[in-house]
Amino acid sequence: MESINNKTILITGAAGFIGWALSKRVCAENPEARVIGFDSVNDYYDVRLKEYRLNELGQYSNFEFIKGNLADKKLVSEVFQKYRPEIVVNMAAQAGVRYSIDLPDVYVESNIIGFFNILEACRNYP
């Protein structure tokens, strides 16, 4: 398996449980890796929990956080231009099936448009 030390890794959904756990593990086990965490920190569930997780990640010198929405194509492009991630792990998504019935636009924005913007940035900023 190829080492991820000395690589820049973009992890979206970094304040969510899986994105946070992955970010923490990569930072702890690969101190030479640079982890860029990206999250909208929305209020789908308790924001204080997300802030706690981000504060914990902030203790790692190889972690940097960007608050933003993946549906913001300009911001996503700027992140890719600035950091040139070599590895992208997209864990960002709007969860909750019942919630999607009440607010389908939120799902389309995050899960489709946001993912599309990540794919386009990967294609345009190799």
Side-chain angles (χ1 to χ4, degrees):
M1 184 175 192
E2 184 179 329
S3 172
I4 60 173
N5 275 328
N6 299 311
K7 297 209 175 186
T8 300
I9 304 152
L10 173 65
I11 301 175
T12 69
F17 178 74
I18 297 171
W20 162 75
L22 177 62
S23 297
K24 184 177 176 182
R25 184 165 181 183
V26 171
C27 287
E29 294 180 10
N30 301 277
E32 301 303 316
R34 182 180 191 190
V35 177
I36 310 301
F38 191 104
D39 202 292
S40 68
V41 192
N42 66 30
D43 62 357
Y44 177 71
Y45 62 88
D46 194 348
V47 173
R48 293 174 298 177
L49 178 56
K50 295 177 183 186
E51 290 170 346
Y52 169 82
R53 291 175 182 153
L54 292 171
N55 284 335
E56 191 173 271
L57 290 172
Q59 296 175 22
Y60 293 97
S61 61
N62 58 337
F63 180 82
E64 186 172 340
F65 178 67
I66 298 165
K67 183 177 181 179
N69 188 328
L70 290 178
D72 183 345
K73 189 172 192 165
K74 182 178 182 229
L75 176 60
V76 172
S77 293
E78 289 170 357
V79 168
F80 272 74
Q81 281 180 305
K82 180 176 180 179
Y83 297 102
R84 298 285 184 184
E86 296 157 281
I87 299 170
V88 178
V89 182
N90 184 34
M91 301 307 299
Q94 184 58 55
V97 175
R98 291 184 184 175
Y99 188 79
S100 70
I101 294 167
D102 295 331
L103 297 166
D105 293 353
V106 174
Y107 281 78
V108 169
E109 182 178 280
S110 175
N111 300 358
I112 297 175
I113 296 171
F115 183 55
F116 172 77
N117 288 341
I118 287 287
L119 290 175
E120 282 295 289
C122 286
R123 184 172 69 92
N124 291 319
Y125 303 100

